[in-house]
Amino acid sequence: MRLSKYYMPTLKEEPADADIASHKLMLRAGMMRALSSGVYSYFPLGYRVIRKVENIVREEMDKSGALEVLMPAMQNAEIWQESGRWEDFGPLMIKFEDRKKRQYCLGPTHEEVVADMIRDEIRSYKDLPYNLYQIQTKVRDEIRPRFGLLRAREFIMKDAYTLDTDYEGLDEQYQVMYDTYSNIFERCGLEARVVRADSGAMGGSSSHEFMVLADTGEDELAFCTSCDYAANVERAEAFIELDESGETIEADLEEVHTPGAKTIEDLVDMLELPASKMVKSMAYIADGEPVVALIRGDDQLNEIKLKNYLGAVELRPAHPEEFEDIFGSVAGFIGPVNLANDVKVIADRKIKELSNVVTGANKKDYHYVNVDIERDMNEIQDYLPLRKVIAGDKCPECHGELEIKSGIEVGHIFKLGTKYSESMNATYLDDNGREQPIVMGSYGIGITRTVAAAIEQNHDEKGIVWPVPIAPYQVIILPLGNSDDVNKAAENLYNDLNEAGIETMLDDRDERAGVKFNDAELIGIPLRVTIGSRSLKEDKFELQIRRSGEESMLDKDKAVDQIDELLSKIT
Amino acid sequence: MRLSKYYMPTLKEEPADADIASHKLMLRAGMMRALSSGVYSYFPLGYRVIRKVENIVREEMDKSGALEVLMPAMQNAEIWQESGRWEDFGPLMIKFEDRKKRQYCLGPTHEEVVADMIRDEIRSYKDLPYNLYQIQTKVRDEIRPRFGLLRAREFIMKDAYTLDTDYEGLDEQYQVMYDTYSNIFERCGLEARVVRADSGAMGGSSSHEFMVLADTGEDELAFCTSCDYAANVERAEAFIELDESGETIEADLEEVHTPGAKTIEDLVDMLELPASKMVKSMAYIADGEPVVALIRGDDQLNEIKLKNYLGAVELRPAHPEEFEDIFGSVAGFIGPVNLANDVKVIADRKIKELSNVVTGANKKDYHYVNVDIERDMNEIQDYLPLRKVIAGDKCPECHGELEIKSGIEVGHIFKLGTKYSESMNATYLDDNGREQPIVMGSYGIGITRTVAAAIEQNHDEKGIVWPVPIAPYQVIILPLGNSDDVNKAAENLYNDLNEAGIETMLDDRDERAGVKFNDAELIGIPLRVTIGSRSLKEDKFELQIRRSGEESMLDKDKAVDQIDELLSKIT
């Protein structure tokens, strides 16, 4: 591709409305522009990278035996009403009416369509298994679109759906997808990790996330430094050895005046006690019911775990006025002793070993000290692992040390089971002629998200550093000065490289050397060949590897072979 | 691909809700299913053909120098309001609100997005020209979705947009697209023709349609049998030699009683005169104004020409009550003599040579005879070519004979000019530093429509007959009987063909020979290889060419080469 004819409007300045590296760099490199909030036009350079990722995904999916289909973006309300998700999806789902006033949505996912599409076609256990996938533009109306392609409203996704007669079949296909996804991200040249995940609104029994590691990642991941254990912090657990033998110093429950001390930090200062001797009581409304979660003063609550334990659809912190009306308490001074009777109390497991702790007294500006769990508290419904794991915690499997890294979710696989096939009556006849629900799995990769994650993981202060497999072009040639010899040598090398199947850009623009160098670094092409009069006299070209900055000389007559060899070595 | 693992639910029965061949056959061949009216899921076989067409389109577009982009499906109302098309598109455009109550549409086309996308980036004449294209799913809410992929609501389209400094540049790029489109349909193996077309709602000065010829085509096309002239009947003209010297037999205008004679046919019977001696008067409302069009009794009016002449946005036949209220007449008996004064009257050119004709008398059950155009009629605003051309008319360019064929529009190219760049302020600075509007062109190919048109042109009573270049697979192997030798030979041939890069299906299903033969014919794979015990004993396979039905024998050891050679010869 000749840059003089390429539509690649690069920007020298940092765009004001972009917060993170991938967003800034995709705008600066002329890869895309926003049409509206979270909705982007992909320009030639950007779309080329997207298609590279798509092709790797397609090849690996095909290799796994999955079959490519394309399902509608525009989906009628009826199938979503059947599954019960027409309301559940909330405002994330774009809804509209057609000219006959029938209701539709822009499908944010396709479980319902798959179930509908196959239920009239699949009759017998002999017709199964299948894995159907598509690569498609999807729309989800995010409440706060941001971070460019990491949280966009319109985006490209690969989604796949497996159909099996039983859970053994699902397990097998799930494992094939697990391996396929691992191959895909490896082939893209990305450092990715698989973690156990929460299956959230999708339902189902088991779920893994594929994460590209990057400091800017939205997700926190816990990895064991000794074994394979890896999980999203949302669901990670730590091994906790409880010391329940702790001698309790007999002391009476005492109310102390703690004016204005609404936080653990305030109390630590005021009472001169460590946070580990305090119990935080956190008030929530779970699907309309009041709940208090107890956690040690120096721990953080993991809301996802609480929500999952309660099986709640909606969990939110209580509003200030609800403390009085519902909990019989006061915001900032809530505690488990003498709470309103109908409030459910759940405690983190670590609470069990505590004695003589501080809690709120349910009265403005007062706390209790010398609280004894068993003696003083309301009935505790359950002790659960509710705290968020932190770096240094012990691995739940091998008791090794956990570390926490940031990652960007690029893939997610789910064992759905029969949630959709039962509600939508997608069944088959087993070998006894009995009707059985089809067992489903669902598997997603964010294609445009993967491109952004690749940049988050691979960039420096000068711009993008593409991994070779997804680089839009592998080589960029910069002819410097405007001599005929230089231009001719550049032209020849450009033709020779393209002929050898090496995707090459030629910066034939009438621009200063500085502009060409800056743009080449910004757009992150793995190898840069500079052709100038001086070295050309000695039949040499200058080569620089974008990632390492390493420089070397190429021989004019062997340049294609030398570049070809180098490309097979670098990442 | 092994059919035992392929998702291809074929149907023996004709689907009840499909009217035309491509729709029926795509359903029967398991290529797709409807999710709702005019909205389809493409199954593996169908999507594979779609991608073949996409790839040919992409290769030829890239070769032409066009750059691939991807623009949003979800488009904010503001850009459509700027161009003035937010209302113009009417109910064909799906509109919706996001969670913040901002208005959007599902873009039925992308002129506005292109103009918006480039107006901040293109500064100087040096930045031009460009041709940006995309392959994308689009939604248009058709009033009556029908004919499967020929009139669907959700469909795949390739749309391209050229950007030039002037009309010479546009002419050049338009010609490149004209040639590229011709190549594309030729490479797809389709018999297609280019015709001059009406540019309709898109605006602009010039437009051509690319038509796949097929008896079931929705469009009528006029072709000259002697020269290159070809045009959609909507805009085709014929050479008419007027005989204005015709001697008028002096006779007085006479009112005759014609009870119930509301049509030309009624009058022919009642008055025993030929239709060519009658003038049909057709009452329309054009943007609220009454208009009468006069046409010879044996001709048909071409409404599109009338609408274009009037420059009307909406043209509709008058309602019965309007005949009295607005035209001063009666439905069925309207005529140009003594009409209400403010009614515009337009006549086809052929009216000019007529004398002593019959017209309506604007009075129930009465007509005039012996009408003399000049003497009796209201003022005629203009004489124009308003009649529809028919087979046997003379070519307007060479006076040769015109023939009429049916075709399906698969591509359409438009010279837009500055309609969008002016309204949306997409400008560049010329070499004198003056701001000028960018000159645009717009070019579309219906990808899914092309697949349907290919079937309309290529099928027989047994099923589809794919042209080789877009066939989902080139060869299908049918092992018959269930002997190990047959299965092994089939397996080996399958592997050898795939290795040789020949896309092959193996019908390894446990089905009767009849089912296998029927399905192979239904899905239209160009070459069928049958492997049975008898011929295998002589190291032979049976081969049949789907299109011609021609049969021959292949040598087991040379089969791959023989097939390869044949594929390069057949269409």
Side-chain angles (χ1 to χ4, degrees), chain B residues 163 194 234 250 310 380 389 401 410 436:
Chain B
L163 307 168
V194 196
E234 284 181 354
E250 280 295 339
L310 297 168
I380 305 259
V389 302
E401 197 178 326
V410 287
Q436 303 281 3

Side-chain angles (χ1 to χ4, degrees), chain A residues 205-216:
Chain A
S205 59
S206 179
S207 155
H208 284 88
E209 284 170 338
F210 290 75
M211 295 283 184
V212 166
L213 299 184
D215 295 339
T216 51

